[in-house]
């Protein structure tokens, strides 16, 4: 059910943009976004969960400080369950 809702959310967005999933947890949404053609990155506060999210999603997952310092811009910022 949750995966279907997230899939529908992604399908309503222009494909191929820069997406940031804030509070990405273990990376499930990041993986879906990458599979839909987004250049996806995540932010996760817990270092152990951050490493798991990278492994599960194949996307870069950073700390909040790293994202702020990078100056990256995003077309979509997703905050689910935050």
């Amino acid at each position: 059910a949750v995966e279907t809702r997230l899939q529908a959310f992604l399908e309503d967005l222009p494909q191929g943009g820069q997406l940031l999933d804030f509070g990405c947890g273990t990376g499930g949404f990041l993986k879906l976004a990458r599979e839909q053609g987004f250049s996806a990155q995540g932010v996760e506060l817990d270092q152990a969960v951050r490493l798991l999210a990278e492994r599960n999603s194949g996307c870069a997952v950073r700390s909040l400080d790293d994202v702020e310092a990078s100056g990256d811009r995003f077309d979509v910022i997703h905050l689910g369950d935050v």
Side-chain angles (χ1 to χ4, degrees):
V2 171
E3 186 172 312
T4 302
R5 179 179 51 86
L6 294 174
Q7 185 72 33
F9 170 74
L10 288 171
E11 289 172 358
D12 287 339
L13 299 171
Q15 301 299 299
Q18 299 287 325
L19 181 140
L20 178 68
D21 187 14
F22 190 94
C24 66
T26 59
F29 182 72
L30 283 174
K31 182 178 179 185
L32 282 174
R34 185 178 53 80
E35 290 171 351
Q36 290 293 317
F38 288 90
S39 177
Q41 294 182 44
V43 171
E44 179 54 52
L45 301 180
D46 184 295
Q47 183 178 2
V49 176
R50 194 165 47 240
L51 296 172
L52 181 60
E54 283 188 340
R55 195 169 39 246
N56 289 341
S57 69
C59 298
V61 179
R62 300 189 262 173
S63 70
L64 181 57
D65 291 337
D66 291 341
V67 170
E68 288 178 335
S70 74
D72 289 346
R73 296 186 176 267
F74 300 95
D75 301 305
V76 178
I77 299 176
H78 175 259
L79 290 95
D81 299 326
V82 174

